Amino acid sequence: MKERIASHVTSAHNVAMLAALLGIGLTGSVATTSAPLSDTLAQRVQAGRLAAEPAGVLAVAKLPQIAFATAARSVPLSFKINHYEKLRDDMKWLPVRYAGETLKTPDPSSRLMLVRAAADYADLDEVGLSYRDVYGIINAETSWIPRMGASKNGTPNLGIAQFEPATARAVGLTDPADPVQAVHAAAIHLRDAALWSAKRIAALKLSPEERATKLREGVSIYYNLSVKGRNKWNGKNTASLPIETRRHIANARLGAQKAAELETQLAELKGRLSHPGVMTVSAR
């Protein structure tokens, strides 16, 4: 069992994305650098290497056709159609450059809307997590750019949450290419990860702040490593884990912080819009 290569966090400039919410046209496209292939989820299946697929302008990277069986999980994804459709209808997208192609990424308000809905569905507050943790994990996986990836062993990693086929089946995800479904599935997976992490650190003498930090380390470890790899973690040996996993922990933490920053910026933006006057937005 081999762990996947971690994504490098490559985010678009917040000002450009916030300006898009105002309908302010900015010259050029939002740029990102090419990221390595993304981090691991839970289970592994051998599926062969993926061929590169060209993506169209403002289109989610094309994903291979994979048959997903009925979920083996006791609490699979189960939504009324209008739950998904309402979120899809409310989502807005921005262009982003990735690996020389123009793809699309949800705008800031859409990201926050989506992770809030997913965290609420998965009851993440019951296990010590929040919607900011969902944001952080997606940030660590793909920097919020839906696309294909692959494990070192060739297992495909699909969509905005980089689900492997076996893990997708386990959480009841039928379409990894659908960001709405995939983020909800990621939240369910995070709940399992938090429960696992809490057990691993239960015997450690930690302050509440230290326990919260360690819990989130375990969440990334669960998301990033195979069963064999994650079970080596005892809550105290994080520094000895693969560099890809440690990078995932850091990127997830940064992503959660970014969610908080976006919330503040959007709140300030709405406050300005609610008052008359002229606001100038500049992008460098």
Side-chain angles (χ1 to χ4, degrees):
M1 299 295 184
K2 297 182 179 179
E3 53 276 355
R4 287 186 283 170
I5 303 171
S7 300
H8 177 65
V9 176
T10 55
S11 61
H13 196 288
N14 286 348
V15 172
M17 294 197 292
L18 291 169
L21 295 179
L22 293 170
I24 298 172
L26 299 178
T27 303
S29 62
V30 180
T32 66
T33 57
S34 299
L37 299 178
S38 61
D39 314 289
T40 53
L41 286 161
Q43 304 165 357
R44 315 284 157 171
V45 291
Q46 189 68 32
R49 294 201 169 274
L50 299 176
E53 293 278 2
V57 174
L58 293 185
V60 176
K62 186 177 179 182
L63 301 181
Q65 295 297 314
I66 295 176
F68 290 92
T70 302
R73 180 185 167 81
S74 59
V75 187
L77 289 172
S78 178
F79 302 118
K80 295 179 180 178
I81 293 176
N82 61 2
H83 177 90
Y84 277 151
E85 293 306 321
K86 179 65 167 61
L87 290 171
R88 290 191 188 103
D89 290 345
D90 290 343
M91 287 186 67
K92 297 179 178 64
W93 298 84
L94 295 172
V96 60
R97 292 290 295 174
Y98 171 75
E101 298 177 1
T102 302
L103 303 176
K104 63 180 183 179
T105 182
D107 73 5
S109 61
S110 297
R111 296 179 186 184
L112 293 174
M113 172 189 70
L114 194 50
V115 296
R116 284 190 181 107
D120 182 64
Y121 177 80
D123 292 322
L124 290 187
D125 58 327
E126 295 180 354
V127 294
L129 300 180
S130 77
Y131 59 88
R132 291 178 182 176
D133 297 297
V134 183
Y135 190 107
I137 288 293
I138 302 300
N139 187 75
E141 289 291 325
T142 59
S143 298
W144 284 92
I145 305 171
R147 53 188 165 84
M148 290 188 300
S151 300
K152 292 179 181 179
N153 66 357
T155 303
N157 307 320
L158 309 173
I160 202 164
Q162 295 290 276
F163 272 99
E164 295 179 356
T167 312
R169 286 193 294 269
V171 297
L173 176 60
T174 59
D175 185 6
D178 176 9
V180 175
Q181 260 201 65
V183 172
H184 279 74
I188 289 175
H189 200 54
L190 289 192
R191 181 183 175 89
D192 290 341
L195 293 171
W196 175 87
S197 180
K199 290 180 181 178
R200 303 294 289 187
I201 64 175
L204 300 181
K205 294 181 179 179
L206 302 168
S207 69
E209 293 78 13
E210 291 171 333
R211 191 166 297 276
T213 298
K214 283 294 179 183
L215 178 74
R216 286 167 172 81
E217 284 185 9
V219 166
S220 272
I221 290 164
Y222 186 93
Y223 210 101
N224 182 253
L225 290 175
S226 65
V227 173
K228 181 179 178 180
R230 72 170 73 119
N231 284 339
K232 295 178 181 179
W233 184 65
N234 60 17
K236 298 183 289 186
N237 59 346
T238 303
S240 67
L241 295 175
I243 182 61
E244 296 87 358
T245 305
R246 286 180 277 141
R247 187 177 297 130
H248 191 282
I249 292 169
N251 288 346
R253 184 183 299 121
L254 288 173
Q257 294 171 356
K258 188 182 302 179
E261 292 169 1
L262 284 176
E263 283 183 304
T264 299
Q265 291 168 347
L266 288 171
E268 291 175 352
L269 188 61
K270 290 178 181 178
R272 292 177 185 177
L273 288 174
S274 66
H275 294 85
V278 177
M279 181 177 67
T280 302
V281 176
S282 62
R284 295 180 179 180

